Amino acid sequence: MLLEVVLKYGGSPKIYWTPEHKAFRDYESSTEREIEGEREMAELRTAGVVDAHRSSSYLLFHHAWKLLLRCHERTPAFVQGVFVQGRSRWHQRRFSHLKITMADGDPICEWILGEGGASKIKRVTPVGGGCINVANRYDTDFGVYFVKTNRDAETSMFEAEAAGLNAMLGTKTIRVPKPRKVGSLPRKGSYIIMEFIEFSFSGGNQADLGRQLARMHKTGTSESGFGFVMDNTIGSTPQPNPWTNDWVDFYREYRLGYQLKLVQQQYRDNDLYEKGQRLLERLPFLLKDLKITPSLLHGDLWSGNVAYDKEGMPVILDPACYYGHNEAEFGMSWCAGFGDPFYKAYFEVMPKQPGFEQRMPLYKLYHYLNHYNLFGSSYRSSCISIINRYL
């Protein structure tokens, strides 16, 4: 009696690549060690053919299948089929449930092999760099896709990311990955499929980044005021974006005020919260006499969200988009590495308004508060220092 399992596996754990007909004879020495504790991934092309009449082969298959089931709980697997061959009705009944157990398809592979235009997925490779989502590169006979998954996120998170990417794409000013599909994972979680952009390891010209970002700010405007078409996230923190006519009201209520409430709820930091409330009262004075029009912002522009393609042109990704004061884009400049060529090129397109340097800490405060909420009290001193500066 022969059992053949043919499946394609995508996700974060690393699976031992078993060549066709190799079965599981290397299971004890290789497969278990590779599966346990690794956050890398390879493609399991063929799990092999084993003879269930042999007790050793049967046990190897049984234990290996249990490991695959456990990994399947952590990340989606696309099972092409479980085929049972042989005369024994007992064996056929014994293993028939495996088809049912693993029959739920991987919607990512289904889209790529359907609407995505591919007929074959060649390999799936993990892509590092993120701390919130699991990212993989899908190489197919039709091209390459970039896929992010999150087992704890609703589709609304990736829908908001797609909306931001499409908004930036619409300005035709700077390169961003084109979103292709957002959907739900089996059981729980969600995914986004987008264009894969090959990055250059040698970097690019910061002046191009500054110039193209300024063009996006100048071109991307909104008649609805400040906010965005939907709420999104900054890191994993919710970011409310209701349409608001006045920038001071928006920044006070939905940026600084919102983060201060989270600090109070999470840490009971009364001192910072009370000082923050006093700062909110001073915002109209601190932002007076400015010409502020809604500009489309990336919203989370730090070095990890900036890259350069193979031609050396800038690419921005992982946005937290909204329409706001263009100067708020530089709130993450403390970990962005922008140099003089960047700012010089930017202000040639979007002229600098008087007091820019004095206002910068005010926009950095939003992101310091968010880091305090996300990562803990090591960011508290920076928050207090900025607040005290303006009181």
Side-chain angles (χ1 to χ4, degrees):
M1 189 284 214
L2 296 177
L3 299 175
E4 183 179 3
V5 182
V6 183
L7 56 90
K8 290 185 181 298
Y9 196 90
S12 56
K14 186 174 182 181
I15 305 300
Y16 179 66
W17 190 321
T18 307
E20 191 170 3
H21 305 304
K22 187 175 176 64
F24 289 100
R25 59 178 177 266
D26 294 333
Y27 168 78
E28 292 295 339
S29 61
S30 300
T31 309
E32 187 174 27
R33 185 179 69 250
E34 294 286 358
I35 290 177
E36 293 291 347
E38 294 288 340
R39 285 191 58 80
E40 299 178 13
M41 184 271 305
E43 186 180 9
L44 181 59
R45 288 289 180 83
T46 304
V49 179
V50 295
D51 187 346
H53 285 301
R54 296 182 180 180
S55 60
S56 59
S57 297
Y58 175 83
L59 288 174
L60 291 180
F61 179 84
H62 175 72
H63 290 304
W65 188 264
K66 286 177 65 178
L67 282 174
L68 288 172
L69 284 173
R70 189 160 74 241
C71 289
H72 180 64
E73 292 298 320
R74 295 174 57 189
T75 186
F78 178 61
V79 178
Q80 290 185 318
V82 179
F83 306 99
V84 180
Q85 298 175 349
R87 298 179 180 177
S88 170
R89 292 183 181 178
W90 181 87
H91 281 114
Q92 290 180 358
R93 288 197 305 270
R94 175 67 180 81
F95 290 98
S96 62
H97 74 283
L98 296 181
K99 271 186 185 176
I100 301 171
T101 303
M102 298 290 284
D104 47 66
D106 177 357
I108 297 168
C109 292
E110 290 175 357
W111 186 89
I112 290 174
L113 296 172
E115 295 180 46
S119 60
K120 179 181 179 182
I121 296 175
K122 298 179 180 179
R123 60 184 171 272
V124 184
T125 312
V127 179
C131 60
I132 297 174
N133 306 303
V134 174
N136 288 292
R137 165 183 173 153
Y138 282 65
D139 286 84
T140 79
D141 58 354
F142 191 69
V144 185
Y145 293 99
F146 180 72
V147 180
K148 292 196 295 186
T149 60
N150 191 311
R151 281 292 183 182
D152 299 316
E154 301 293 332
T155 56
S156 58
M157 183 185 79
F158 286 135
E159 286 170 350
E161 179 176 351
L165 291 170
N166 281 323
M168 293 190 295
L169 276 169
T171 67
K172 299 179 181 179
T173 54
I174 191 168
R175 189 171 187 187
V176 300
K178 182 179 180 179
R180 300 296 304 276
K181 176 68 175 179
V182 174
S184 299
L185 293 172
R187 298 184 184 85
K188 67 173 184 175
S190 57
Y191 67 89
I192 181 170
I193 304 173
M194 63 183 79
E195 169 193 11
F196 182 88
I197 299 175
E198 196 78 46
F199 295 146
S200 169
F201 291 106
S202 59
N205 190 331
Q206 278 209 356
D208 289 331
L209 175 62
R211 189 176 303 108
Q212 292 181 21
L213 183 69
R215 289 172 181 165
M216 186 181 83
H217 291 168
K218 194 169 187 176
T219 304
T221 60
S222 168
E223 296 180 356
S224 300
F226 302 94
F228 198 54
V229 293
M230 61 195 305
D231 295 342
N232 49 28
T233 55
I234 180 77
S236 58
T237 306
Q239 181 170 260
N241 297 311
W243 293 115
T244 309
N245 291 327
D246 183 73
W247 168 247
V248 173
D249 291 341
F250 180 86
Y251 194 64
R252 175 173 52 203
E253 181 69 20
Y254 303 113
R255 291 298 180 260
L256 295 185
Y258 184 81
Q259 291 284 348
L260 286 167
K261 290 176 183 176
L262 293 180
V263 167
Q264 176 67 355
Q265 293 168 5
Q266 188 168 193
Y267 299 108
R268 296 290 186 261
D269 193 334
N270 294 323
D271 179 53
L272 186 147
Y273 180 78
E274 291 170 2
K275 287 183 176 181
Q277 294 303 308
R278 289 164 54 195
L279 172 61
L280 297 184
E281 295 175 1
R282 288 180 49 78
L283 278 185
F285 172 77
L286 296 171
L287 297 175
K288 68 177 183 179
D289 300 329
L290 287 172
K291 182 182 179 181
I292 302 177
T293 57
S295 293
L296 178 61
L297 309 183
H298 174 282
D300 191 16
L301 201 64
W302 67 290
S303 58
N305 290 341
V306 176
Y308 295 87
D309 64 20
K310 287 296 186 179
E311 285 69 47
M313 298 309 292
V315 181
I316 54 177
L317 44 136
D318 291 345
C321 286
Y322 66 98
Y323 292 89
H325 185 193
N326 69 297
E327 293 179 358
E329 189 77 282
F330 308 116
M332 281 290 285
S333 60
W334 48 278
C335 57
F338 297 145
D340 290 339
F342 169 85
Y343 286 107
K344 183 176 185 296
Y346 180 88
F347 289 125
E348 286 175 355
V349 179
M350 291 284 285
K352 184 197 301 187
Q353 295 195 64
F356 169 78
E357 288 79 8
Q358 288 70 42
R359 288 186 296 275
M360 269 303 89
L362 194 61
Y363 289 130
K364 291 179 181 179
L365 178 59
Y366 172 61
H367 296 278
Y368 276 120
L369 286 169
N370 185 48
H371 276 63
Y372 184 7
N373 281 310
L374 287 174
F375 307 117
S377 59
S378 61
Y379 291 94
R380 183 182 187 277
S381 61
S382 297
C383 297
I384 288 290
S385 177
I386 293 174
I387 292 172
N388 287 338
R389 173 183 181 142
Y390 292 107
L391 294 183

